[in-house]
Amino acid sequence: MRKSRIILTVSWSLLLCLTLLINMALHLSVLLIFTGLTVAGIHSVTTVSKVSVKAGGSISIPCLYDPKYTHHVKYLCKGSNVGSCSCKVKTDQPDSSGKFSISDDKQQRIFTVTINNLMMDDTDYWCIVEINDLNSDGKPFQLSVTRGWPQLFVDHQEITGFNGEDVTIHGSYSNTGEIEWCRLGGSCVNESSGSINGTRVTINANVPKVFTVTMSGLRTESSGWYFCTKGLLQMPVHVTVKERPSTTEPVNHTAVSAYGEPTTVQGGNHSVSIHLKSFIIRLSVLISIVMVASFIWFMFKRCKVIH
């Protein structure tokens, strides 16, 4: 009789625990639906975690997504909680104020959000993909907005290189931690040298507070979003690899600084030939002036001798 009571007590205890677990699972499902986030999609969006930026500047943040979301609507949401954040710009609904912009590279599976005229309250954001009317998938990122120099800075957030050649990214920092160079959604290099998808990466941090990252032997496949990491901070950099133009044409490419300011760099043999032609023309004019002056002086001396 006593044994039966013990068995009955244990059975009721197991049943109670099972009931509690089922209730917790149901509450969790309701909570996830309410906040607009699905369990299966939590890790389907990848972005940087925290970026140091300067007030008044601009920043572009890449958001890598799962192939199943290629044709879904993407958007930028402002706020620390995904359930109550405010949508600022969508791929099917541009921002009329000009502060926010968004673009979707379906081939690379990356949508990029840009925030202009950064303010001190531009801190918490989400990269989000719409799944359906009730569910969405997202990943948060933070901006550390400073009035002075950012703690982690690169000279250009967008840089162009040519097949088979090198590009170098220059950066500075004021925080502590290990320096890494990573491809978004891919591997990282955290030593002085290594490789990412067949492209050689060299990190030089011998001078305090500054560093360079050189990518050598570029290929078309090297194009894409990368980011440098120093401690808890990250800074995304977009690398575009092209075929070098013919030497008979000017080699002009535009790099975008980390503050969103475009700077044009001109190079190539055509640029050199233009300067050479200009020099020759100026030299010819100078020689002509000297010859005319010499002729006038000779005629003046001759007339003086005759008289």
Side-chain angles (χ1 to χ4, degrees):
M1 185 70 177
R2 186 177 178 183
K3 187 176 181 180
S4 299
R5 287 181 179 179
I6 293 174
I7 293 173
L8 183 62
T9 302
V10 172
S11 299
W12 274 107
S13 299
L14 290 173
L15 182 61
L16 181 60
C17 290
L18 182 60
T19 304
L20 288 173
L21 289 172
I22 292 173
N23 286 333
M24 289 175 64
L26 289 172
H27 280 86
L28 180 60
S29 299
V30 172
L31 179 62
L32 289 172
I33 291 174
F34 179 75
T35 56
L37 204 62
T38 61
V39 176
I42 286 177
H43 301 293
S44 296
V45 177
T46 303
T47 186
V48 292
S49 55
K50 190 173 183 178
V51 180
S52 181
V53 293
K54 185 179 180 181
S58 302
I59 189 68
S60 293
I61 303 293
C63 308
L64 176 68
Y65 55 84
D66 193 274
K68 62 186 177 184
Y69 295 149
T70 300
H71 301 291
H72 286 238
V73 173
K74 291 89 179 179
Y75 62 95
L76 174 69
C77 202
K78 183 178 182 181
S80 57
N81 191 327
V82 69
S84 59
C85 65
S86 173
C87 178
K88 294 302 179 183
V89 64
K90 303 176 92 172
T91 50
D92 64 347
Q93 184 181 332
D95 171 46
S96 58
S97 70
K99 181 176 175 64
F100 304 96
S101 63
I102 188 170
S103 61
D104 187 8
D105 185 341
K106 291 181 171 60
Q107 185 175 1
Q108 294 276 346
R109 296 184 293 104
I110 294 177
F111 69 95
T112 305
V113 295
T114 300
I115 307 171
N116 302 307
N117 189 26
L118 290 162
M119 310 292 288
M120 298 304 292
D121 65 342
D122 285 319
T123 53
D124 296 293
Y125 286 92
W126 286 77
C127 292
I128 297 182
V129 177
E130 284 187 353
I131 299 176
N132 52 46
D133 293 338
L134 293 177
N135 301 314
S136 59
D137 188 355
K139 195 70 178 283
F141 65 88
Q142 285 187 320
L143 299 179
S144 175
V145 186
T146 63
R147 298 193 185 279
W149 202 254
Q151 288 184 289
L152 179 60
F153 175 81
V154 293
D155 56 350
H156 295 105
Q157 205 186 0
E158 295 185 17
I159 190 167
T160 299
F162 300 103
N163 262 320
E165 300 184 13
D166 307 344
V167 292
T168 299
I169 297 90
H170 299 267
S172 64
Y173 61 89
S174 58
N175 62 330
T176 59
E178 187 179 34
I179 295 179
E180 288 186 325
W181 180 255
C182 307
R183 179 150 190 166
L184 185 65
S187 59
C188 298
V189 172
N190 54 21
E191 298 179 351
S192 59
S193 63
S195 65
I196 297 178
N197 296 343
T199 301
R200 183 171 176 78
V201 176
T202 305
I203 300 175
N204 187 334
N206 295 329
V207 179
K209 304 301 181 183
V210 297
F211 67 92
T212 61
V213 176
T214 300
M215 297 178 63
S216 308
L218 293 171
R219 301 176 301 164
T220 304
E221 297 81 5
S222 305
S223 294
W225 278 99
Y226 298 79
F227 62 90
C228 59
T229 296
K230 176 68 175 176
L232 299 177
L233 296 175
Q234 299 168 322
M235 174 57 73
V237 176
H238 187 265
V239 177
T240 302
V241 181
K242 300 179 178 180
E243 291 292 339
R244 176 169 284 281
S246 171
T247 55
T248 59
E249 298 177 358
V251 181
N252 296 324
H253 54 272
T254 300
V256 179
S257 73
Y259 291 154
E261 300 169 349
T263 56
T264 301
V265 181
Q266 186 179 62
N269 294 338
H270 184 72
S271 175
V272 174
S273 64
I274 289 176
H275 291 296
L276 182 61
K277 289 179 181 178
S278 177
F279 173 75
I280 292 174
I281 291 172
R282 291 179 183 179
L283 182 62
S284 299
V285 171
L286 180 62
I287 292 173
S288 298
I289 292 173
V290 172
M291 290 178 65
V292 170
S294 299
F295 177 76
I296 294 174
W297 180 82
F298 175 76
M299 293 301 295
F300 176 77
K301 292 289 290 182
R302 183 178 180 183
C303 291
K304 188 175 182 180
V305 171
I306 294 174
H307 289 291

